[in-house]
Amino acid sequence: MALPASINDNTGVQSGRTAPLDWRSLIREQADRYGFDVVGFTTAELSERVQADYRSFIDLGRHGDMDWLQTTFDRRRTPRALWDDVKSVIVLGMNYGPADDPLAVLANPTAGGISVYARHRDYHDVIKGKLKQLGQWIASKSGGEIKVFVDTAPVLEKPLAEQAGIGWQGKHTNLVSRTAGSWLFLGEIFTTLEIQPDRPGDDRCGSCRACLDVCPTDAFPAPYQLDARRCISYLTIEYKGHIAAEFRKPMGNRIYGCDDCLAVCPWNKFSRIANEAKLKARDDLEAPPLRDLATLDETAFRKRFRGSPIKRIGRDRFVRNVLIAAGNIQANDEGLRTEFADIAQDLLSDSSALVRAMAVWALGQLVQGEELVDRTKQSRAHELDADVQNEYRQIIP
Ligand code: B12
């Protein structure tokens, strides 16, 4: 890109002979080259209202076991609290819209539903790399300092993105963009540069409540509020314990994350299809057969999900989720029912109590009566874990 004469010297100091630099246009142009679809600029403060709402979310315990949302409250509530020198925040978004209907897999109960964002290479790696390149470019041209953040950093990314005019927080609480719909990864560059902020995005949800009504676990106590403890995304990805019985059937075959609230958003029809070169979806994660996933051991799990965000939850939690999906197979086909009952029965002696507990539950869904007693007798007699014993009591009192 041809830079204006005043910044070719890399100092960022303007001579006074040239017009002030239009950082907004320069950064937008450069961000486009790195593959970002949307860019917005905002100040380093979040409103009192956002901070108070975040406080309410924590006070109501809606973060569940994600203690870090509570312990980092003071740094997370506003960018300035994280970095005192920051003057402006550049928010960037990358469209990851799926090429096909992401919910189609839900009609195929012997396959696992993996949310669209996790069908790609780990987006943290992809976006962080691009943010760093863009940030370095800004720092080198301006002489200022930058810090880049994506997802795991203590930043309230969605309210910042709304404030930067990228879109608005929809009723499902995610950021909706007029051009990318609900399929958008977010990342930020904090900078010491003073950049003219954008106007905040206007709420365009109107009277639509498609995302609220579609939620299988009723995770929205009110529009624009999520109780993470009920969200399938939280239960399958973040939650380390035994998933409560009330959520198991509604989970269906969703084994990693959940896209229902995003997928039904009418704004998606304006979404451009994800650029394959940026975020290449793995074909083998679109509808992977449950039978292959349930039998993964630690080594096979790591190999299968190398470079994927799925690897973070570890084999035991993953197989726990897969067993719930297996238990939800309504098999009229005797062969299929027996096949999955055999898989669950094998896992009754797994080394992980998380896996054993859901193997008990799955078996209890797939077979009944004498057959259930026969299939569980031996492992039940050897079971020492109180939670797993309790699962046995639920299926055979
Ligand atoms: C924790 C987390 C989760 C948690 C909690 C989600 C949540 N809504 O908070 C779980 C595991 C459930 C989750 C799920 C998903 N996540 Co997530 N997640 C995050 C993370 C790390 C922090 C979010 C956060 O700060 N939550 C705290 C709450 C307080 O913030 P908030 O949702 O903005 O709440 C605002 C309002 O909803 C309202 N509010 C909330 N509660 C209450 C209560 C009351 C009483 C009131 C008055 C107001 C109010 O006020 C708040 C301030 O404005 C961000 C990355 C980041 N660093 O920001 C990614 C992020 C939000 N996740 C993302 C994605 C893609 C997802 C999933 C789609 C993944 C999937 N397919 O399974 C789902 C979507 C589920 C959903 N409907 O939210 C993207 C969203 C991109 C976008 N376009 O918005 C992010 C930004 C990651 C990224 N860098 O791209 N996620």
Side-chain angles (χ1 to χ4, degrees):
M1 170 167 120
L3 288 165
S6 60
I7 54 170
N8 273 336
D9 60 5
N10 274 1
T11 62
V13 177
Q14 290 164 42
S15 62
R17 285 179 284 109
T18 49
L21 285 177
D22 181 3
W23 280 112
R24 292 167 52 87
S25 306
L26 290 171
I27 292 169
R28 275 182 195 284
E29 195 176 322
Q30 198 66 9
D32 185 57
R33 291 183 180 196
Y34 285 119
F36 290 104
D37 296 295
V38 284
V39 186
F41 303 93
T42 188
T43 54
E45 305 292 349
L46 276 166
S47 71
E48 293 291 326
R49 185 195 60 80
V50 165
Q51 297 184 40
D53 288 352
Y54 174 23
R55 186 75 259 171
S56 304
F57 172 83
I58 298 293
D59 290 346
L60 289 162
R62 292 183 180 163
H63 57 297
D65 285 353
M66 297 181 290
D67 293 339
W68 39 274
L69 277 171
Q70 179 171 15
T71 52
T72 58
F73 180 87
D74 277 331
R75 279 183 292 152
R76 201 176 277 264
R77 65 188 167 79
T78 190
R80 179 100 52 219
L82 189 60
W83 185 26
D84 202 31
D85 295 335
V86 58
K87 296 278 188 318
S88 311
V89 177
I90 307 161
V91 184
L92 298 119
M94 193 176 281
N95 178 18
Y96 68 100
D100 302 308
D101 176 8
L103 303 186
V105 64
L106 302 181
N108 179 3
T110 59
I114 292 178
S115 58
V116 175
Y117 93 87
R119 294 180 195 170
H120 304 93
R121 232 184 85 199
D122 196 335
Y123 74 94
H124 298 92
D125 301 341
V126 179
I127 296 203
K128 193 141 197 174
K130 290 176 185 296
L131 282 175
K132 277 188 182 158
Q133 287 174 311
L134 178 59
Q136 277 155 10
W137 181 87
I138 296 169
S140 72
K141 299 306 172 201
S142 70
E145 285 178 65
I146 58 105
K147 290 185 197 286
V148 305
F149 299 104
V150 59
D151 196 35
T152 45
V155 177
L156 285 186
E157 298 194 288
K158 296 177 287 177
L160 266 176
E162 177 174 302
Q163 198 175 280
I166 281 184
W168 68 98
Q169 277 192 263
K171 290 179 186 172
H172 53 28
T173 80
N174 279 327
L175 203 281
V176 187
S177 135
R178 291 177 75 177
T179 50
S182 286
W183 308 108
L184 200 66
F185 289 138
L186 298 174
E188 302 75 36
I189 299 176
F190 285 22
T191 168
T192 50
L193 270 181
E194 300 254 18
I195 307 176
Q196 171 76 27
D198 281 298
R199 261 195 70 240
D202 293 326
D203 184 344
R204 290 170 192 273
C205 286
S207 59
C208 177
R209 40 177 298 125
C211 60
L212 309 176
D213 293 339
V214 80
C215 179
T217 48
D218 214 3
F220 299 103
Y224 310 102
Q225 296 181 26
L226 177 84
D227 187 342
R229 294 168 298 184
R230 302 188 65 83
C231 175
I232 292 175
S233 182
Y234 167 80
L235 294 167
T236 53
I237 302 175
E238 298 290 337
Y239 186 58
K240 298 186 176 70
H242 299 289
I243 293 174
E246 69 167 304
F247 300 122
R248 295 177 197 162
K249 280 199 171 292
M251 278 171 60
N253 62 341
R254 298 168 188 82
I255 58 169
Y256 191 93
C258 180
D259 283 330
D260 295 35
C261 60
L262 306 189
V264 297
C265 176
W267 282 97
N268 291 337
K269 62 174 178 276
F270 302 108
S271 170
R272 281 170 279 145
I273 300 303
N275 178 337
E276 290 290 304
K278 272 184 283 180
L279 295 166
K280 176 116 186 64
R282 280 174 51 170
D283 295 341
D284 66 324
L285 297 183
E286 262 171 42
L290 292 175
R291 61 174 66 82
D292 297 349
L293 304 177
T295 46
L296 292 174
D297 63 15
E298 197 64 55
T299 314
F301 172 82
R302 272 200 300 254
K303 188 165 170 224
R304 173 111 195 220
F305 296 113
R306 186 172 298 139
S308 152
I310 297 172
K311 70 178 180 302
R312 288 214 207 97
I313 69 168
R315 176 263 177 191
D316 296 346
R317 266 196 271 167
F318 185 73
V319 174
R320 168 199 67 181
N321 300 344
V322 172
L323 279 165
I324 292 179
N328 284 325
I329 294 174
Q330 303 278 321
N332 296 324
D333 172 343
E334 188 63 17
L336 195 61
R337 200 183 58 76
T338 305
E339 181 190 357
F340 278 95
D342 289 348
I343 291 174
Q345 187 177 346
D346 277 351
L347 291 169
L348 292 177
S349 52
D350 196 83
S351 59
S352 157
L354 264 192
V355 170
R356 295 200 302 280
M358 282 316 97
V360 173
W361 182 80
L363 206 50
Q365 303 301 305
L366 292 163
V367 297
Q368 282 82 40
E370 276 305 301
E371 184 183 353
L372 184 57
V373 175
D374 286 349
R375 281 181 179 270
T376 53
K377 204 182 299 169
Q378 221 185 347
S379 43
R380 185 174 192 172
H382 291 105
E383 185 57 63
L384 297 175
D385 183 278
D387 292 323
V388 186
Q389 284 172 346
N390 186 43
E391 292 293 337
Y392 278 115
R393 275 194 295 278
Q394 303 305 314
I395 59 162
I396 313 170

